[in-house]
Amino acid sequence: MTTGERTHGSVWLRPARTPRAAKGQAFAQDDLAAAGVALADRDGLDAVSMRRVAAELGITAMSLYWYVDTKDQLVELMVDRVLAEQPVPVGDDWRARLRSIGCDTLELHRAHPWFVHAQGRPGTLPGPGQLRHWDRHVHALTDPRITPRLAPENVTLAVGTVMNFVSGYALTPARGVLTPYAGHPQIDQYLRDAVLGHGLESLRSLAHLRHQFTEDRFDDGLDIVLDGLHARLF
Amino acid sequence: MTTGERTHGSVWLRPARTPRAAKGQAFAQDDLAAAGVALADRDGLDAVSMRRVAAELGITAMSLYWYVDTKDQLVELMVDRVLAEQPVPVGDDWRARLRSIGCDTLELHRAHPWFVHAQGRPGTLPGPGQLRHWDRHVHALTDPRITPRLAPENVTLAVGTVMNFVSGYALTPARGVLTPYAGHPQIDQYLRDAVLGHGLESLRSLAHLRHQFTEDRFDDGLDIVLDGLHARLF
DNA sequence: ACTACTTGCCATACGGTGTATGACGAAGCT
DNA sequence: AGCTTCGTCATACACCGTATGGCAAGTAGT
C-alpha cells in the first residue's frame, strides 16, 4: 500500500476517494464527468483531452490523475453520468413502456452524439448510474400493474433488443451518410458513375439510392421490433 | 490546379491516382486498406497509426499522403474493403435471406471488432465495396423468385432494421460487460454493494444481474426482428 | 539529347496527446 | 513539534497527425 496500486481497470473498482470535506478546493469525480460531458457535447469526443478537461476545472492535466487512473476511466464516468439522468419509462402497458425506453434512448443519443462511441468499452463496468438505469427498465417491465408477467430472462431480452436497435440506429450519424450533401452535384455524379460503372443493377435508379441513404424511419423500425416482441414474447 | 486541392472530404471524391504502372514500387489504395485492416484486426483500431501502417508497407508515414489526404480517408478505405468481401445472402425466402444478412454481418463484426467504431463517420461516402454490398442486399430481397414483392422503401426498411439490430448488438463487446471477469470475487462484491446500497429493488438478485450482463441471445433477438418484419411488412 | 514535368517517396518539424515521475505547500492528527 | 495524508503542479517522454519542402527516377516534348 506504500505506492498507489494501479488498478488499470474500471473506475468503480478504485478505492473511494474520501474528500477531506473541509478545506482546499477538492472535486468530486462527477465534476470531472460533468466537465467532460460538456466538452464532448460542444466539440465532440476527440476534444475531450486531459488537459482541456483540467482547464475547464481550473487545474492542470496531472491533477486529474488524483481522481482517476486513466483517461478511459474519465470516459467511464461520463457515460455513467449521462445514463444516470435518463427518465423513468412511462406508459400503461409493456408496449408503451418499451417504446418510451426506445424514444428516451434516442433522445439521449441526439443530445450526446459521442455517447454511442464511448459506451461499453472493454474492461469497463456498469457504474451506479447505469445500474439505476437498468433497475428502472426492469422495474418498468415487471411492475405488477403491467398486464402480462414476463420471465426474467425475457425482460432482459426485450429491453436488450430495443436497445440494440436504437444503438445501431444512432450509430450512423445524421441518418444517411448523404444528408449533409443532399443535392450536391459532385456527389450525385460520383454515385451515378459508381453504380453504373460497376453494374449494380438493383441500385440503378438514383431515386432508389437516395432512399437508401436518406430515409429516417426510426418510428417504423421501433414498431417492427415491438411487433416482433409481441409475437414472440407476449 | 497548381497545388493539390485538399478535398478534406471522402476518399471517393479524390481525383483517381493513375499509377505509372511501369516503374518503382507503387501501391494501390487497397494495399493501404489491407495493411490497416490487418493492423486493426491484430491490435485494435487505436493501433492504426500512419507510421505503423506505413511501416507495414515498408515506407514512411508521409508517403501515405500520396494515396490519401487524411487518416480518416484511410479508415474509409478499410471500411470499404471489409464490406466488399461480404458474401451474398442465401436462402429460399425473404426470411432466410434476411437472417443470412444478419448472421453474415455478425460474423463481420466478430472478425473485425473495430469495424463498428470506424463505420459511418460523418463526412464519409459509401465506396464501391459498400455500394456493391448494398446492391447485393437489395437484389436478395427483390429477386423475382422470392415470394412476396416488396415496395422499394420497405426493402431498405427491412434491411436497415436488421442492420441496426446487429450493429447495436456488436457495439457491446464480448457480450455483456462482465464476461471477461466472470466470477471474479471483487466484481461480485462491487455489484452486490452497489445494488444493495442504492436500493435497486428490481436488480436485487445477483443471478438476475448476471443474466443481464452475461447473456448472449443474438439468435433470439434476430428472430424477434424478423417476426416484426413479418407482422408489419409481409 | 536536352529540358520540363510528373511521380513516388522521404526528412524534418510543429503542436497536440496520454501519462510516469517526483516535488511541493497546506491541513490534520498525535 | 513532527508526521502523514491530500491535492496540485512542473517537467519529461514517446507517440500522434500532418504541413512543408526536397529529391531521384521516369516520361514527354522538342
Side-chain angles (χ1 to χ4, degrees):
Chain A
M1 207 204 281
T2 58
T3 63
E5 297 192 31
R6 297 308 303 272
T7 312
H8 260 309
S10 167
V11 220
W12 313 114
L13 261 31
R14 266 175 66 105
R17 285 271 158 244
T18 56
R20 187 67 54 82
K23 242 351 201 342
Q25 121 183 345
F27 299 101
Q29 283 186 329
D30 199 53
D31 295 330
L32 311 208
V37 168
L39 250 169
D41 287 347
R42 185 169 359 108
D43 302 325
L45 192 55
D46 288 341
V48 178
S49 75
M50 296 302 263
R51 291 177 230 261
R52 267 198 275 260
V53 170
E56 203 91 350
L57 297 170
I59 57 182
T60 65
M62 291 314 294
S63 301
L64 295 180
Y65 287 89
W66 180 253
Y67 304 94
V68 126
D69 287 336
T70 265
K71 185 192 172 182
D72 284 346
Q73 291 193 354
L74 203 169
V75 175
E76 228 180 328
L77 292 176
M78 291 166 58
V79 167
D80 202 66
R81 183 188 157 88
V82 163
L83 287 175
E85 357 177 277
Q86 280 293 99
V88 312
V90 298
D92 295 332
D93 55 1
W94 65 266
R95 185 163 185 133
R97 293 196 179 177
L98 275 175
R99 181 191 302 283
S100 171
I101 288 176
C103 293
D104 291 342
T105 306
L106 179 66
E107 253 178 65
L108 182 159
H109 287 296
R110 290 228 168 98
H112 310 289
W114 51 271
F115 181 85
V116 70
H117 299 286
Q119 181 196 29
R121 299 258 189 85
T124 65
L125 241 41
Q130 175 153 6
L131 287 171
R132 187 145 46 91
H133 181 231
W134 281 344
D135 187 71
R136 284 191 295 252
H137 285 175
V138 173
H139 180 76
L141 292 191
T142 53
D143 186 346
R145 290 175 304 173
I146 290 303
T147 40
R149 182 153 290 272
L150 272 174
E153 71 269 18
N154 283 341
V155 171
T156 64
L157 179 59
V159 176
T161 306
V162 169
M163 296 295 264
N164 282 345
F165 167 75
V166 179
S167 296
Y169 183 89
L171 201 59
T172 302
R175 264 318 75 194
V177 213
L178 276 208
T179 316
Y181 303 104
H184 192 305
Q186 194 183 4
I187 284 163
D188 280 357
Q189 186 61 39
Y190 160 71
L191 289 177
R192 201 184 319 267
D193 290 355
V195 170
L196 266 46
H198 294 81
L200 307 179
E201 311 190 1
S202 300
L203 294 184
R204 269 263 166 77
S205 86
L206 231 201
H208 190 171
L209 244 195
R210 254 296 143 60
H211 220 97
Q212 177 95 25
F213 293 104
T214 278
E215 76 182 331
D216 180 350
R217 298 179 69 181
F218 176 79
D219 290 329
D220 292 332
L222 184 53
D223 271 330
I224 286 169
V225 172
L226 296 178
D227 281 353
L229 287 167
H230 173 75
R232 195 155 282 256
L233 297 188
F234 295 98
Chain B
M1 208 202 281
T2 58
T3 63
E5 297 193 30
R6 297 308 302 271
T7 310
H8 259 309
S10 169
V11 221
W12 314 113
L13 262 30
R14 264 175 66 104
R17 284 270 158 246
T18 57
R20 186 69 52 81
K23 239 1 209 331
Q25 120 182 346
F27 298 100
Q29 284 185 328
D30 198 53
D31 295 329
L32 310 209
V37 168
L39 250 169
D41 287 346
R42 186 171 357 111
D43 302 322
L45 193 56
D46 288 342
V48 177
S49 75
M50 295 303 262
R51 290 174 229 260
R52 269 199 272 259
V53 170
E56 202 92 349
L57 296 170
I59 57 181
T60 64
M62 289 315 294
S63 302
L64 295 180
Y65 288 89
W66 180 252
Y67 303 94
V68 125
D69 287 337
T70 266
K71 184 193 174 182
D72 284 344
Q73 291 193 353
L74 203 169
V75 176
E76 229 180 328
L77 291 176
M78 291 167 56
V79 167
D80 201 67
R81 182 188 159 88
V82 164
L83 287 175
E85 0 178 273
Q86 281 294 98
V88 311
V90 298
D92 295 333
D93 54 1
W94 64 267
R95 186 165 184 131
R97 293 195 178 178
L98 274 176
R99 182 191 302 283
S100 171
I101 288 175
C103 292
D104 291 342
T105 306
L106 179 65
E107 255 178 62
L108 183 159
H109 287 296
R110 290 228 168 97
H112 309 289
W114 51 270
F115 181 84
V116 70
H117 299 285
Q119 181 196 30
R121 301 257 189 86
T124 65
L125 241 40
Q130 174 151 7
L131 288 171
R132 188 146 46 90
H133 182 232
W134 282 344
D135 187 72
R136 283 192 296 253
H137 284 173
V138 173
H139 180 76
L141 291 190
T142 53
D143 185 348
R145 290 174 305 173
I146 290 304
T147 39
R149 183 152 290 273
L150 274 173
E153 71 270 17
N154 282 341
V155 171
T156 64
L157 179 59
V159 176
T161 306
V162 169
M163 296 295 263
N164 282 344
F165 167 75
V166 179
S167 295
Y169 183 89
L171 201 59
T172 302
R175 262 321 74 195
V177 214
L178 275 208
T179 317
Y181 304 104
H184 193 306
Q186 195 183 4
I187 284 162
D188 280 359
Q189 186 62 40
Y190 159 70
L191 289 177
R192 200 183 322 267
D193 291 353
V195 170
L196 266 47
H198 294 82
L200 306 180
E201 311 189 2
S202 301
L203 294 184
R204 270 263 167 78
S205 85
L206 229 202
H208 190 172
L209 244 195
R210 253 296 142 60
H211 220 96
Q212 178 96 25
F213 293 104
T214 277
E215 77 183 330
D216 180 352
R217 298 178 70 182
F218 176 77
D219 289 329
D220 291 333
L222 184 53
D223 271 330
I224 286 169
V225 172
L226 295 178
D227 281 354
L229 288 167
H230 173 75
R232 198 155 280 257
L233 296 187
F234 296 99

